[in-house]
C-alpha cells in the first residue's frame, strides 16, 4: 500500500482485498480505536497545561496506583467504542470487570481489550507513554458477552496494535497480515501510513530489562543477562547495549524499528501473581505484533499467545523481540 495514504483508506483497502464481503464493521471498529488514540494523543501532548498529570487517588484491581490519565484514557476508549455499533463489549486494565454496553446500544461482534495508558508513570516526567489494544470476536450469536467470552487465547486475536505517544504519535497495527505503522499528522488529524511491512531483525545486540531486579530473577535470566553484559569476551561473543524506557509500548516500538529483546520475567517479587505484565492487555497484543513482524514472543517456555487465559487480569512472564535472541533465552530456561 502506498506511503502517505490514511489509516482509514488502508483499512478499507485491506478489507476489500478479503473479497469485498466485509460489512464495514471491522473497518469502523479500527477507526473508532484510531479516534480514541487521537484524542489521547491530543491530551498527552497538552500535559500540565490542562492539569492532567499526577495521581487520581485510586488503585486498579491489580493494586497499581492509577494516574489521572489512566482513567481519562479509559473513558476516552469507552466513549469511542460504545456508540458506533461495532463493539460488543470491552475489558481494560483499569476496570475490574468487563464493560457491558448500556441497554439500547447497538452491539457489534467485536470484543476490545485494552491498556489505555501504558507506562503511565512516565506521564509526569514527559517521557513516552502508549496505548495497547487487542481485538477478539464474540462467540457466534452472542449479543451480550460475559467474562467467559473474553477468555480466548492470543492466537484468536483478529487484530492488535498500539499507539506510542512520543516525539510523534504512531499507531502500529496488524490484522494478521503483517505490521503497518502510521504517523499522526496533528494538523490534519489523520494517521498517515509511514512504515510499510515493519520487520524485526532476527539478531540483535540490544536488551531491555529492569536491571534493578537482578537479585530477584530466576537463575536462567540472571545467567543470560550476565552473559550479555560480559560482551565480546562472554559466551554470546558480542557487545550488547541496554535500554529501559519503563513503557512496554516504547520498548516494543524500538524493537520494531531496530531489533532488540524485551523481558519482564517471573521473579521473586511477582512470582505469586504470575509475572508483572498482563496477558490480555499487554502480552497477547504485543506478541501478535511482534510475531507478525517476524519476531518471537515467549514466556521463556513457549508462545505467549498459546497461554490459556483463566482470568481477565492474569499476568504472564514476557520475553519478546528478535527471533534468535528469544530462542537463546528459551535455551537458558530449557537447561534450567
Ligand atoms: P502500566 O503503566 O500500564 O501499568 O504498565 C507499565 C509496565 C510496562 O509497560 C513497563 O514495561 C513496566 O511496567 C515497567 O516496569 P518497572 O516499574 O519495573 O520499570
Ligand atoms: Mn501497561
Ligand atoms: Mn496502563
Amino acid at each position: 500500500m502506498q506511503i502517505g495514504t490514511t489509516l482509514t483508506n488502508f483499512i478499507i483497502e485491506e478489507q476489500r482485498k478479503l473479497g469485498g464481503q466485509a460489512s464495514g464493521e471491522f473497518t469502523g471498529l479500527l477507526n473508532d480505536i484510531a479516534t480514541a488514540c487521537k484524542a489521547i494523543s491530543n491530551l498527552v501532548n497538552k500535559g500540565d497545561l490542562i492539569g492532567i498529570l499526577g495521581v487520581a487517588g485510586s488503585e486498579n484491581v491489580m493494586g497499581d496506583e492509577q494516574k489521572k490519565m489512566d482513567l481519562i484514557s479509559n473513558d476516552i476508549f469507552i466513549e469511542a467504542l460504545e456508540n458506533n455499533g461495532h463493539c460488543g463489549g470491552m475489558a481494560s486494565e483499569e476496570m475490574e470487570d468487563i464493560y457491558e454496553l448500556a441497554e439500547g446500544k447497538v452491539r457489534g461482534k467485536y470484543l476490545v481489550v485494552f491498556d489505555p495508558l501504558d507506562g503511565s508513570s512516565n506521564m509526569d516526567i514527559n517521557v513516552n507513554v502508549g496505548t495497547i489494544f487487542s481485538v477478539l470476536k464474540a462467540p457466534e450469536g452472542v449479543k451480550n458477552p460475559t467474562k467467559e467470552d473474553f477468555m480466548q487465547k492470543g492466537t484468536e486475536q483478529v487484530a492488535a496494535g498500539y499507539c506510542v505517544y512520543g516525539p510523534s504519535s504512531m499507531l502500529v497495527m496488524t490484522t494478521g497480515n503483517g505490521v503497518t505503522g502510521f504517523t499522526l499528522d496533528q494538523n490534519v488529524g489523520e494517521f498517515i501510513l509511514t512504515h510499510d511491512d515493519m520487520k524485526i531483525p532476527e539478531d540483535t545486540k540490544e536488551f531491555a530489562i529492569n536491571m534493578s531486579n537482578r537479585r530477584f530473577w530466576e537463575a536462567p535470566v540472571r545467567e543470560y543477562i550476565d552473559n550479555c553484559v560480559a560482551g565480546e569476551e562472554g559466551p554470546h561473543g558480542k557487545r550488547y547495549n541496554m535500554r529501559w524506557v519503563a513503557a512496554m509500548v516504547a520498548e516494543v516500538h524500538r524493537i520494531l524499528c531496530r531489533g532488540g529483546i524485551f523481558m519482564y520475567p517471573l521473579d521473586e517479587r511477582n512470582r505469586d501473581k504470575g509475572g508483572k505484565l498482563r496477558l490480555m492487555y499487554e502480552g497477547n497484543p504485543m506478541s501478535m505484533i511482534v510475531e507478525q513482524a517476524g519476531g518471537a514472543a515467549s514466556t521463556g517456555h513457549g508462545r505467549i499467545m498459546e497461554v490459556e487465559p483463566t482470568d481477565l487480569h492474569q499476568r504472564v512472564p514476557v520475553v519478546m523481540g528478535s527471533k534468535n535472541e528469544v530462542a537463546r533465552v528459551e535455551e537458558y530456561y530449557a537447561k534450567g
Side-chain angles (χ1 to χ4, degrees):
M1 190 99 195
Q2 218 178 338
I3 298 287
T5 195
T6 63
L7 171 65
T8 315
N9 274 336
F10 173 83
I11 303 165
I12 292 171
E13 192 57 29
E14 286 282 289
Q15 289 297 293
R16 205 177 54 79
K17 278 192 227 152
L18 293 177
Q21 290 159 12
S23 63
E25 196 171 328
F26 187 59
T27 307
L29 181 92
L30 294 176
N31 236 342
D32 299 340
I33 292 173
T35 303
C37 293
K38 284 182 208 170
I40 296 170
S41 171
N42 181 37
L43 294 183
V44 163
N45 270 293
K46 294 202 167 83
D48 216 13
L49 293 174
I50 51 171
I52 51 162
L53 304 190
V55 294
S58 51
E59 281 187 353
N60 65 18
V61 63
M62 287 163 287
D64 303 328
E65 177 184 70
Q66 289 175 308
K67 300 278 182 186
K68 285 183 200 163
M69 264 313 282
D70 284 321
L71 301 182
I72 296 170
S73 314
N74 196 64
D75 288 347
I76 288 175
F77 250 77
I78 293 174
E79 173 76 22
L81 286 167
E82 88 167 334
N83 295 309
N84 301 329
H86 310 130
C87 173
M90 296 169 232
S92 152
E93 181 182 290
E94 304 304 342
M95 298 188 285
E96 184 166 356
D97 288 314
I98 60 164
Y99 184 89
E100 295 174 28
L101 268 58
E103 193 96 350
K105 300 270 184 202
V106 180
R107 275 121 169 95
K109 59 172 174 284
Y110 296 102
L111 307 179
V112 184
V113 178
F114 50 92
D115 175 356
L117 201 67
D118 174 66
S120 57
S121 66
N122 282 353
M123 266 306 292
D124 295 350
I125 54 168
N126 197 13
V127 173
N128 293 26
V129 288
T131 292
I132 309 173
F133 61 90
S134 159
V135 181
L136 298 164
K137 250 190 195 154
E140 203 58 41
V142 170
K143 280 283 165 216
N144 292 299
T146 63
K147 204 183 282 188
E148 283 62 46
D149 297 321
F150 285 77
M151 298 293 107
Q152 303 183 32
K153 289 196 284 193
T155 48
E156 299 298 311
Q157 295 171 106
V158 292
Y162 63 80
C163 188
V164 58
Y165 311 109
S168 53
S169 287
M170 274 194 71
L171 194 147
V172 174
M173 59 154 218
T174 180
T175 55
N177 184 28
V179 178
T180 316
F182 304 83
T183 305
L184 181 60
D185 184 329
Q186 301 274 7
N187 295 327
V188 180
E190 288 279 8
F191 281 106
I192 307 292
L193 201 162
T194 47
H195 293 58
D196 201 10
D197 198 18
M198 297 176 86
K199 288 280 178 237
I200 300 174
E202 289 184 359
D203 291 295
T204 185
K205 294 181 185 173
E206 195 161 71
F207 68 85
I209 192 167
N210 186 339
M211 283 291 285
S212 68
N213 295 327
R214 186 183 177 282
R215 70 187 192 281
F216 302 116
W217 295 338
E218 294 175 314
V221 175
R222 206 178 302 165
E223 202 189 333
Y224 166 72
I225 295 292
D226 287 354
N227 287 341
C228 292
V229 174
E232 298 94 323
E233 310 303 319
H236 304 171
K238 52 183 173 178
R239 183 184 296 192
Y240 286 78
N241 185 29
M242 193 203 89
R243 285 289 182 271
W244 188 251
V245 189
M248 185 189 198
V249 168
E251 320 282 4
V252 171
H253 187 68
R254 183 185 61 250
I255 289 171
L256 255 95
C257 294
R258 68 179 190 205
I261 186 166
F262 166 74
M263 301 173 69
Y264 217 116
L266 203 62
D267 67 33
E268 280 314 316
R269 297 164 321 147
N270 65 38
R271 176 175 302 283
D272 296 349
K273 297 177 184 160
K276 156 122 185 181
L277 300 175
R278 281 67 40 142
L279 175 65
M280 307 289 283
Y281 317 116
E282 296 166 325
N284 279 339
M286 292 313 228
S287 294
M288 185 174 180
I289 287 276
V290 165
E291 286 193 8
Q292 283 290 321
S298 170
T299 62
H301 302 281
R303 272 174 95 198
I304 290 173
M305 288 205 286
E306 278 169 16
V307 173
E308 194 76 58
T310 51
D311 187 88
L312 268 184
H313 301 292
Q314 184 167 336
R315 300 187 191 238
V316 69
V318 170
V319 181
M320 60 171 67
S322 293
K323 205 180 191 163
N324 294 339
E325 206 63 20
V326 173
R328 195 199 291 273
V329 173
E330 283 182 329
E331 281 168 26
Y332 277 84
Y333 272 105
K335 63 178 197 255

